[in-house]
Amino acid sequence: MLKINENYLKLKASYLFSDIAKRVSEYTSNNPDKDIIRLGIGDVTSPLPTACIEAFHKAVDEMAKEETFMGYGPEQGYSFLRDKIAEFDFNKRGVKISSDEIFISDGAKCDTGNIQEIFDTKIKIAIPDPVYPVYLDTNVMAGRTGENKDGRYQGIYYLESTEQNGFVPDIPSEDVDLIYLCFPNNPTGTTATKDQLKKWVDYAQDNNALILFDAAYESFIRDESLPHSIFEIEGADEVAIEFRSFSKNAGFTGTRCAYTVVPKKCRAFDNAGNKTALHPLWLRRQSTKFNGVSYPVQKAAEAVYSAQGQEEVKKLTNYYLRNAKLIIEKMTKLGFCCIGGDNSPYIWINGNRSSWEFFDLLLNNAGVVCTPGEGFGKCGEGYIRISAFNSYENVEKAMYRIGKVL
Ligand code: MLT
């Protein structure tokens, strides 16, 4: 008899953003004349930078000619892209990361979801609450948790982000092996200082632990004192893996390109307690299960690092940050306490009522879609997340409508 992986039965029936999409489509089919403004899922709305589009077109043309056609690419991604990443995203910021420590992929979602495969199933995991659901769900699927009781999976150490700790979780009070962190944070939009990250790196070193650092939103950082990468902290290359994406800076949500940095020094331990490098394990995993990102997409991503690309990406992120500023201003004026939005495209708002009640109120009365905080974890109850990814005109309209109903 073929049996299923019963761990899947422990999961909530559907993924948060699918749940929301279902409610929105129900609303639109019942109200076909009402227009909806989507400030829910963090999906970009502006077109790709011209520099990327031009490189993309050129690469597609190359695929049409025998002399320039490309088949399977190198396993870790083309060096033309990895070299640029190493130079611009790390070396120029004084961080020593080499091109062969970078793995190009089709998304930070896939990488943050897949990385757990290279670790033992019996490790102790620390996961933030609220959290981007992928980190948690993929560990549930892998059997690293017990059942979900009262909104918490048994066996997980939850790193609570609350008003009391400024939405930056405290260092665990017990031993954990694998720690997920995300800064600028999804969903709260908070950032972590170098001193705060150093405490995590020290913890990982002292406890033979590892940090999985999701930096998908680093391009929104404007405060020069804030770290863009965990590798800005000395010693982090031994105890951290970092995830980056072209989705939110250059608008690649539909085009798909991202990368993961696994430094050569980065280690975990085998059953006998011997230090084991993670780089070869991730390479083995990726070369077995993944065939890379298409050549034209990698060419388009490379163009992000051209002078024109850099300028365009700055303009795009500034545009969304201007939206975020407007959201904070308006929601604060309406009497709500807002977090994030200054170095992040997300604004975390205390709604003074249940998250889903607030979500329904905004959807049904204002035609605005947000994300209910409770969907990100127990500590998110009472909050909503508003995303700044939309046109300025739509954000203005959404804020006007929200002002009328609250
Ligand atoms: C979000 O809204 O949290 C993100 O768009 C999800 C993602 O990037 O996968």
Side-chain angles (χ1 to χ4, degrees), residues 15 17 40-43 109 132 186 217 248 346 376 385:
Y15 182 60
F17 294 106
I41 191 166
D43 193 4
K109 178 179 183 173
Y132 177 45
N186 180 13
Y217 298 93
K248 318 288 166 155
Y346 296 133
F376 296 106
R385 189 194 74 178

Side-chain angles (χ1 to χ4, degrees), residues 192-248:
T193 62
K194 279 190 183 153
D195 286 346
Q196 284 168 322
L197 287 189
K198 182 171 180 334
K199 287 195 182 128
W200 286 100
V201 169
D202 290 347
Y203 176 91
Q205 282 170 334
D206 295 345
N207 292 275
N208 291 333
L210 185 89
I211 300 164
L212 297 176
F213 191 76
D214 186 348
Y217 298 93
E218 66 73 39
S219 61
F220 292 89
I221 294 176
R222 292 296 178 271
D223 177 342
E224 282 301 317
S225 71
L226 292 171
H228 287 242
S229 164
I230 193 154
F231 301 124
E232 289 180 42
I233 313 301
E234 213 185 312
D237 54 353
E238 216 194 332
V239 297
I241 289 176
E242 182 164 302
F243 306 91
R244 294 274 189 108
S245 169
F246 293 98
S247 285
K248 318 288 166 155

